[in-house]
Amino acid sequence: MLKKVLVILLSSFIMLSLLVFNNTPIFRNYADEYEVYLTDFSCSNKIISVDKYKYPFIFNVKGECAVLNKDKFRLQSFLNDLNAQIVFIESDEDYDCYYAYSPNIKNSKVIKNQLVNLHVAILKDCVKVGSPIIYGSF
């Protein structure tokens, strides 16, 4: 009986460890803090802020967003790192938005009949990157 209990506990520990260690942010090489989306749509009470230490313990993540330093950001290098291709661009006097697709990112959205899973908003004072898109406002 004790052996069965130990096997069950050890198996549970291994499964939980695998879940935690495989749950990493998409933008881990670019930021230490993230907004995490817990639903597939923009709902402010389902967007939480976490740091890189809490992120692995958040399950059922539908997307994420990070704010980056505009002076250090290089769009083409960022897209190359994520193996992403630009699908379409939207511009305004306050921002330039790049919608892209990467086969390395799992969650996606169809926008303007195009499959996208990476959203880059270059603003006046910072860069916001999100996947599959940036929810909320920027």
Side-chain angles (χ1 to χ4, degrees), residues 57-71:
F57 300 100
I58 306 297
F59 299 103
N60 202 27
V61 172
K62 302 294 185 188
E64 68 185 66
C65 176
V67 178
L68 310 179
N69 183 321
K70 185 176 180 179
D71 295 332

Side-chain angles (χ1 to χ4, degrees), residues 19-106:
L19 280 172
V20 167
F21 290 119
N22 284 319
N23 193 18
T24 59
I26 296 167
F27 308 119
R28 66 186 166 272
N29 296 332
Y30 301 94
D32 292 333
E33 295 183 358
Y34 314 91
E35 282 185 348
V36 176
Y37 310 138
L38 303 177
T39 61
D40 287 331
F41 53 88
S42 184
C43 180
S44 62
N45 64 346
K46 296 295 183 179
I47 298 174
I48 59 172
S49 295
V50 298
D51 61 22
K52 65 181 178 181
Y53 302 108
K54 291 179 185 172
Y55 190 101
F57 300 100
I58 306 297
F59 299 103
N60 202 27
V61 172
K62 302 294 185 188
E64 68 185 66
C65 176
V67 178
L68 310 179
N69 183 321
K70 185 176 180 179
D71 295 332
K72 296 179 182 179
F73 185 77
R74 301 292 173 261
L75 178 63
Q76 197 55 54
S77 176
F78 177 78
L79 293 172
N80 289 343
D81 287 349
L82 294 173
N83 191 26
Q85 299 294 319
I86 294 174
V87 176
F88 64 92
I89 301 168
E90 292 180 336
S91 293
D92 188 278
E93 65 184 51
D94 295 327
Y95 63 83
D96 291 316
C97 281
Y98 299 86
Y99 295 84
Y101 179 80
S102 169
N104 301 343
I105 299 173
K106 65 179 179 177

